[in-house]
Amino acid sequence: LTRPITSVSLNDLLAQSPFKRKHVLSVSKFSRNDLHHLFTVAQEMRLGVQREGSLDILKGRVLCTMFFEPSTRTSASFDAAMKRLGGSTVVVNESHSSVKKGESLADTIRTLGCYGDAIVLRHPEESSADTAAKFSSVPIINAGNGSKEHPTQAFLDLFTIREELGTVNGLTITFVGDLRYGRTVHSLCELLKHYDVSIQLVSPTSLSLPSKILEQLKSRGQLAGEYEDLSPEVVAKTDVLYCTRVQKERFEDLELYEKTKDTLVVDNAVMRNAKGNMVVMHPLPRNQEVKEEVDYDPRAAYFRQVSHNVPGQRAIYVCVGRICADL
Ligand code: CP
């Protein structure tokens, strides 16, 4: 089978991109067609890099990244993706920046916009993404605003579900753990409005999904149940078991963290109740909520979620939502 030259397809796709020069602040702004455009670009990028080793579609472009909260995957994947596609990055370390001299977020963003074509921002304040967009001359990509949203992770998660299970429609997705502070859960729940899915929620009561998101799931008829335990019945119905870390850094009451951190654990005993063709996902990092013994189960998809386990493709998967979206 012959296919068109990949770089031509990519250039065509990028020229038609509904994301071009737009901020990526919240998943709520993106339609199902937008998502499918993104996934098509992802497939083309994967093919392009497979065939040609690297691409230069972002040659001459500069991406500024600034993380006010710790990150491994998001920060490294933006950096790797930009370089894999021929561009370069300016990585500003918050702890060595003029923020430490009292510079505001608005002034920081105004400044970075003079140096880059887009800015990736992670910040503990929920209002940070909107503030950054207000003062930025270039597109802002929200890499996590407090416990509110993590849009690019949600794009990647949806892409992973499609890659792993072939479809999203018809699936039962079970969110487990810290649904109150887990921003990836909030963004993914919003994106799932575009699909016909059943959603089960499993969390301690103190860490349940924010009421606004819960009401949206109910009004769409997607909520299949709320539980405090990972019972065999809940696990048996699940196609995607989406686990999250209990987010210690968001707790004002550390006693409550200590009480809740070990209440929901996925181990081999839990996996024995699960379907043969389901997957376990986790945005990572994890603590003790998914036992290492589960890593050896082929249904554990969380490292494929990061890399899809194919040498050289990591950046390509990750850049899908993250770079082509706005450059
Ligand atoms: N999934 C995710 O956002 O990971 P990092 O916090 O390591 O970037």
Side-chain angles (χ1 to χ4, degrees):
L1 281 176
T2 51
R3 287 174 53 90
I5 297 169
T6 302
S7 57
V8 173
S9 306
L10 261 177
N11 285 337
D12 288 348
L13 276 166
L14 292 173
Q16 302 153 13
S17 173
F19 294 83
K20 202 170 172 66
R21 295 247 148 238
K22 281 193 186 154
H23 298 300
V24 181
L25 307 180
S26 164
V27 292
S28 61
K29 304 287 179 220
F30 298 103
S31 68
R32 187 167 168 164
N33 279 348
D34 294 340
L35 296 175
H36 289 179
H37 178 91
L38 215 51
F39 299 147
T40 307
V41 172
Q43 304 287 10
E44 289 297 330
M45 281 191 177
R46 180 170 54 174
L47 283 170
V49 171
Q50 269 173 355
R51 288 174 181 202
E52 295 165 36
S54 63
L55 299 173
D56 62 359
I57 57 174
L58 296 179
K59 194 174 174 190
R61 300 287 195 173
V62 176
L63 182 70
C64 289
T65 66
M66 191 156 181
F67 284 70
F68 289 74
E69 287 185 338
S71 169
T72 298
R73 276 147 293 275
T74 313
S75 54
S77 63
F78 273 119
D79 200 48
M82 195 66 188
K83 287 169 178 163
R84 182 74 70 178
L85 298 175
S88 56
T89 53
V90 172
V91 179
V92 182
N93 182 332
E94 183 260 337
S95 65
H96 292 89
S97 75
S98 286
V99 169
K100 292 293 169 209
K101 295 184 264 182
E103 188 161 47
S104 67
L105 179 61
D107 287 359
T108 302
I109 291 295
R110 282 186 178 110
T111 303
L112 294 182
C114 298
Y115 306 139
D117 297 297
I119 299 168
V120 174
L121 177 71
R122 173 173 287 183
H123 196 284
E125 298 291 332
E126 293 194 357
S127 58
S128 58
D130 287 334
T131 302
K134 187 172 165 192
F135 291 99
S136 182
S137 55
V138 299
I140 297 291
I141 305 175
N142 176 11
N145 53 336
S147 53
K148 195 167 183 194
E149 277 222 46
H150 192 342
T152 64
Q153 179 70 42
F155 292 144
L156 177 62
D157 290 344
L158 203 54
F159 188 70
T160 301
I161 294 172
R162 284 165 51 110
E163 288 287 303
E164 292 285 329
L165 298 175
T167 183
V168 180
N169 284 320
L171 299 182
T172 296
I173 298 170
T174 303
F175 289 103
V176 188
D178 185 350
L179 311 187
R180 177 177 178 185
Y181 297 118
R183 57 192 171 198
T184 69
V185 172
H186 304 165
S187 290
L188 189 51
C189 278
E190 173 68 17
L191 275 191
L192 288 171
K193 75 182 177 192
H194 299 300
Y195 299 91
D196 174 20
V197 293
S198 294
I199 294 176
Q200 303 188 112
L201 304 173
V202 184
S203 71
T205 315
S206 58
L207 298 181
S208 58
L209 198 67
S211 54
K212 187 176 166 196
I213 305 174
L214 187 69
E215 290 310 315
Q216 285 167 344
L217 296 184
K218 283 183 188 167
S219 70
R220 289 180 216 139
Q222 291 182 321
L223 185 65
E226 284 183 274
Y227 311 93
E228 288 189 54
D229 300 307
L230 260 178
S231 68
E233 294 74 26
V234 168
V235 174
K237 283 185 203 153
T238 299
D239 298 299
V240 176
L241 190 64
Y242 190 101
C243 306
T244 59
R245 175 178 66 92
V246 178
Q247 314 243 322
K248 184 179 183 183
E249 65 274 26
R250 310 269 181 234
F251 281 69
E252 283 169 15
D253 176 1
L254 279 185
E255 246 178 66
L256 180 59
Y257 168 74
E258 289 299 331
K259 257 193 233 164
T260 49
K261 71 182 169 66
D262 295 325
T263 51
L264 290 165
V265 172
V266 176
D267 56 14
N268 282 345
V270 168
M271 292 303 290
R272 276 195 279 280
N273 298 315
K275 294 178 186 177
N277 61 345
M278 56 80 78
V279 289
V280 181
M281 291 175 59
H282 192 309
L284 302 176
R286 71 170 154 184
N287 292 152
Q288 53 282 325
E289 64 279 358
V290 179
K291 292 282 184 208
E292 278 183 27
E293 64 188 22
V294 179
D295 298 357
Y296 304 100
D297 188 313
R299 295 169 292 180
Y302 32 89
F303 292 119
R304 295 195 295 276
Q305 195 176 347
V306 179
S307 72
H308 269 260
N309 227 8
V310 180
Q313 288 187 10
R314 179 170 187 269
I316 308 315
Y317 275 89
V318 177
C319 79
V320 170
R322 300 189 164 166
I323 302 296
C324 73
D326 55 308
L327 287 179

